[in-house]
Amino acid sequence: MATQKASRPERPPHPDRLWIWEKHVYLDEFRRSWLPIVIKSDGKFQVIMRQEDVKLGTAMTPSQLIPYELPLMWQLCPQERYRSCDSMFWQILYHIKFRDVEDMLLELMESD
């Protein structure tokens, strides 16, 4: 029989900002790196942002990143969502930390 307590996921605070550093690497306000995993299915556009420490290369300029399917920056807004630099909103469906792995699932919201 196990003597350790069961691990339970934590609900960490959302980053205030995520901005692109290089292709497939975003940084938050604490210079933590986040790696996007794009999911497109059933007409939905979602992205899992996984916080993972990676060796950072040289920052890319926006002109080096065009075309890029994800926003170059996200800003945290009220109501559990982010506003991207193209003024689109992304709902935070979940944000958990489990066994030192932090994941946040964002879904592009339909325009009104």
Side-chain angles (χ1 to χ4, degrees):
M1 188 168 226
T3 58
Q4 291 182 319
K5 286 185 178 180
S7 295
R8 301 221 187 278
E10 301 172 37
R11 285 199 45 132
H14 307 313
D16 286 336
R17 285 177 205 84
L18 294 166
W19 61 91
I20 196 142
W21 182 260
E22 58 186 273
K23 270 196 177 175
H24 311 297
V25 178
Y26 286 81
L27 293 184
D28 66 16
E29 62 273 17
F30 300 108
R31 291 191 54 87
R32 297 184 313 152
S33 47
W34 294 78
L35 309 178
I37 302 165
V38 173
I39 304 167
K40 292 180 182 177
S41 65
D42 299 327
K44 294 181 181 181
F45 186 14
Q46 298 177 327
V47 60
I48 297 172
M49 299 296 285
R50 174 162 288 171
Q51 195 284 307
E52 190 171 313
D53 295 330
V54 296
K55 184 176 180 182
L56 296 175
T58 304
M60 297 180 83
T61 64
S63 63
Q64 291 174 303
L65 291 161
I66 294 179
Y68 193 65
E69 69 180 331
L70 293 176
L72 302 183
M73 187 184 87
W74 278 290
Q75 171 77 41
L76 185 61
C77 293
Q79 302 173 350
E80 296 283 309
R81 61 187 183 164
Y82 281 96
R83 184 176 183 167
S84 58
C85 57
D86 59 3
S87 296
M88 301 295 288
F89 286 98
W90 294 72
Q91 188 70 43
I92 302 168
L93 299 181
Y94 71 78
H95 182 186
I96 61 169
K97 184 174 183 178
F98 184 71
R99 295 188 176 158
D100 296 326
V101 176
E102 191 171 342
D103 283 336
M104 182 168 50
L105 178 61
L106 307 176
E107 182 175 277
L108 182 61
M109 298 172 71
E110 293 183 18
S111 318
D112 293 334

